[in-house]
PDB file of all heavy atoms in Angstrom:
ATOM      1  N   HIS D  48      15.291 -27.276   2.614  1.00 98.00           N
ATOM      2  CA  HIS D  48      14.301 -26.251   2.262  1.00 98.00           C
ATOM      3  C   HIS D  48      14.088 -25.268   3.411  1.00 98.00           C
ATOM      4  O   HIS D  48      13.944 -24.062   3.187  1.00 98.00           O
ATOM      5  CB  HIS D  48      12.985 -26.950   1.896  1.00 98.00           C
ATOM      6  CG  HIS D  48      11.884 -26.023   1.521  1.00 98.00           C
ATOM      7  ND1 HIS D  48      11.929 -25.254   0.390  1.00 98.00           N
ATOM      8  CD2 HIS D  48      10.696 -25.723   2.137  1.00 98.00           C
ATOM      9  CE1 HIS D  48      10.812 -24.521   0.314  1.00 98.00           C
ATOM     10  NE2 HIS D  48      10.067 -24.792   1.356  1.00 98.00           N
ATOM     11  N   TYR D  49      14.054 -25.775   4.636  1.00 98.00           N
ATOM     12  CA  TYR D  49      13.854 -24.920   5.809  1.00 98.00           C
ATOM     13  C   TYR D  49      15.135 -24.811   6.634  1.00 98.00           C
ATOM     14  O   TYR D  49      15.084 -24.781   7.863  1.00 98.00           O
ATOM     15  CB  TYR D  49      12.687 -25.449   6.655  1.00 98.00           C
ATOM     16  CG  TYR D  49      11.318 -25.134   6.080  1.00 98.00           C
ATOM     17  CD1 TYR D  49      10.249 -26.006   6.262  1.00 98.00           C
ATOM     18  CD2 TYR D  49      11.069 -23.943   5.382  1.00 98.00           C
ATOM     19  CE1 TYR D  49       8.985 -25.716   5.747  1.00 98.00           C
ATOM     20  CE2 TYR D  49       9.815 -23.651   4.865  1.00 98.00           C
ATOM     21  CZ  TYR D  49       8.776 -24.535   5.050  1.00 98.00           C
ATOM     22  OH  TYR D  49       7.531 -24.237   4.551  1.00 98.00           O
ATOM     23  N   HIS D  51      16.898 -22.350   7.286  1.00 97.00           N
ATOM     24  CA  HIS D  51      16.900 -21.167   8.162  1.00 97.00           C
ATOM     25  C   HIS D  51      16.089 -21.393   9.436  1.00 97.00           C
ATOM     26  O   HIS D  51      16.072 -20.539  10.323  1.00 97.00           O
ATOM     27  CB  HIS D  51      16.378 -19.933   7.407  1.00 97.00           C
ATOM     28  CG  HIS D  51      14.973 -20.068   6.866  1.00 97.00           C
ATOM     29  ND1 HIS D  51      14.617 -21.021   5.931  1.00 97.00           N
ATOM     30  CD2 HIS D  51      13.831 -19.373   7.132  1.00 97.00           C
ATOM     31  CE1 HIS D  51      13.323 -20.890   5.638  1.00 97.00           C
ATOM     32  NE2 HIS D  51      12.822 -19.917   6.357  1.00 97.00           N
ATOM     33  N   LEU D  52      15.429 -22.561   9.547  1.00 98.00           N
ATOM     34  CA  LEU D  52      14.561 -22.810  10.710  1.00 98.00           C
ATOM     35  C   LEU D  52      14.965 -24.039  11.518  1.00 98.00           C
ATOM     36  O   LEU D  52      14.342 -24.330  12.533  1.00 98.00           O
ATOM     37  CB  LEU D  52      13.105 -22.984  10.241  1.00 98.00           C
ATOM     38  CG  LEU D  52      12.478 -21.787   9.512  1.00 98.00           C
ATOM     39  CD1 LEU D  52      11.105 -22.160   8.962  1.00 98.00           C
ATOM     40  CD2 LEU D  52      12.362 -20.584  10.432  1.00 98.00           C
ATOM     41  N   ARG D  85       4.263 -14.357  -3.648  1.00 98.00           N
ATOM     42  CA  ARG D  85       4.432 -14.049  -2.207  1.00 98.00           C
ATOM     43  C   ARG D  85       3.262 -13.217  -1.709  1.00 98.00           C
ATOM     44  O   ARG D  85       2.713 -13.456  -0.646  1.00 98.00           O
ATOM     45  CB  ARG D  85       5.710 -13.224  -1.973  1.00 98.00           C
ATOM     46  CG  ARG D  85       7.015 -13.942  -1.794  1.00 98.00           C
ATOM     47  CD  ARG D  85       7.068 -14.892  -0.656  1.00 98.00           C
ATOM     48  NE  ARG D  85       7.402 -14.323   0.631  1.00 98.00           N
ATOM     49  CZ  ARG D  85       7.731 -15.058   1.687  1.00 98.00           C
ATOM     50  NH1 ARG D  85       7.780 -16.388   1.605  1.00 98.00           N
ATOM     51  NH2 ARG D  85       8.017 -14.513   2.843  1.00 98.00           N
ATOM     52  N   THR D  91       3.070 -14.826   6.799  1.00 98.00           N
ATOM     53  CA  THR D  91       3.321 -16.198   7.248  1.00 98.00           C
ATOM     54  C   THR D  91       2.208 -16.717   8.156  1.00 98.00           C
ATOM     55  O   THR D  91       1.684 -17.813   7.947  1.00 98.00           O
ATOM     56  CB  THR D  91       4.679 -16.267   7.976  1.00 98.00           C
ATOM     57  OG1 THR D  91       5.692 -15.785   7.097  1.00 98.00           O
ATOM     58  CG2 THR D  91       5.002 -17.680   8.411  1.00 98.00           C
ATOM     59  N   ARG D 102      -3.515 -17.190   2.480  1.00 98.00           N
ATOM     60  CA  ARG D 102      -3.458 -17.467   3.920  1.00 98.00           C
ATOM     61  C   ARG D 102      -4.499 -16.635   4.670  1.00 98.00           C
ATOM     62  O   ARG D 102      -5.109 -17.105   5.638  1.00 98.00           O
ATOM     63  CB  ARG D 102      -2.047 -17.178   4.439  1.00 98.00           C
ATOM     64  CG  ARG D 102      -1.002 -18.202   3.961  1.00 98.00           C
ATOM     65  CD  ARG D 102       0.400 -17.664   4.163  1.00 98.00           C
ATOM     66  NE  ARG D 102       1.454 -18.661   3.964  1.00 98.00           N
ATOM     67  CZ  ARG D 102       2.744 -18.355   3.908  1.00 98.00           C
ATOM     68  NH1 ARG D 102       3.154 -17.092   4.040  1.00 98.00           N
ATOM     69  NH2 ARG D 102       3.645 -19.305   3.731  1.00 98.00           N
ATOM     70  N   HIS D 115       3.715 -22.642   0.414  1.00 98.00           N
ATOM     71  CA  HIS D 115       5.053 -22.052   0.423  1.00 98.00           C
ATOM     72  C   HIS D 115       5.249 -21.313  -0.888  1.00 98.00           C
ATOM     73  O   HIS D 115       4.851 -21.810  -1.944  1.00 98.00           O
ATOM     74  CB  HIS D 115       6.137 -23.135   0.541  1.00 98.00           C
ATOM     75  CG  HIS D 115       7.501 -22.584   0.224  1.00 98.00           C
ATOM     76  ND1 HIS D 115       8.252 -21.881   1.137  1.00 98.00           N
ATOM     77  CD2 HIS D 115       8.218 -22.564  -0.937  1.00 98.00           C
ATOM     78  CE1 HIS D 115       9.384 -21.477   0.562  1.00 98.00           C
ATOM     79  NE2 HIS D 115       9.381 -21.868  -0.699  1.00 98.00           N
ATOM     80  N   ALA D 116       5.895 -20.151  -0.813  1.00 98.00           N
ATOM     81  CA  ALA D 116       6.253 -19.403  -2.022  1.00 98.00           C
ATOM     82  C   ALA D 116       7.664 -18.851  -1.848  1.00 98.00           C
ATOM     83  O   ALA D 116       7.984 -18.297  -0.788  1.00 98.00           O
ATOM     84  CB  ALA D 116       5.273 -18.256  -2.246  1.00 98.00           C
ATOM     85  N   SER D 117       8.497 -19.005  -2.848  1.00 98.00           N
ATOM     86  CA  SER D 117       9.874 -18.498  -2.780  1.00 98.00           C
ATOM     87  C   SER D 117       9.864 -17.013  -2.444  1.00 98.00           C
ATOM     88  O   SER D 117       9.009 -16.265  -2.914  1.00 98.00           O
ATOM     89  CB  SER D 117      10.583 -18.687  -4.120  1.00 98.00           C
ATOM     90  OG  SER D 117      10.571 -20.037  -4.513  1.00 98.00           O
ATOM     91  N   ASP D 118      10.860 -16.579  -1.630  1.00 98.00           N
ATOM     92  CA  ASP D 118      10.841 -15.193  -1.153  1.00 98.00           C
ATOM     93  C   ASP D 118      11.762 -14.236  -1.897  1.00 98.00           C
ATOM     94  O   ASP D 118      11.801 -13.045  -1.581  1.00 98.00           O
ATOM     95  CB  ASP D 118      11.124 -15.152   0.362  1.00 98.00           C
ATOM     96  CG  ASP D 118      12.513 -15.662   0.721  1.00 98.00           C
ATOM     97  OD1 ASP D 118      13.323 -15.937  -0.187  1.00 98.00           O
ATOM     98  OD2 ASP D 118      12.784 -15.787   1.929  1.00 98.00           O
ATOM     99  N   GLU D 126      15.413 -23.041  -5.158  1.00 98.00           N
ATOM    100  CA  GLU D 126      14.325 -23.940  -4.761  1.00 98.00           C
ATOM    101  C   GLU D 126      13.759 -24.718  -5.953  1.00 98.00           C
ATOM    102  O   GLU D 126      13.415 -25.892  -5.817  1.00 98.00           O
ATOM    103  CB  GLU D 126      13.220 -23.143  -4.053  1.00 98.00           C
ATOM    104  CG  GLU D 126      13.684 -22.625  -2.688  1.00 98.00           C
ATOM    105  CD  GLU D 126      12.657 -21.751  -1.971  1.00 98.00           C
ATOM    106  OE1 GLU D 126      11.594 -21.446  -2.550  1.00 98.00           O
ATOM    107  OE2 GLU D 126      12.924 -21.382  -0.819  1.00 98.00           O
TER     108      GLU D 126
HETATM  109 MG1   MG G   2      10.151 -18.629   3.750  1.00 54.56          MG
END
Side-chain angles (χ1 to χ4, degrees):
H48 180 66
Y49 283 148
H51 59 298
L52 299 173
R85 274 301 275 193
T91 303
R102 289 164 169 170
H115 166 81
S117 303
D118 63 7
E126 291 176 355

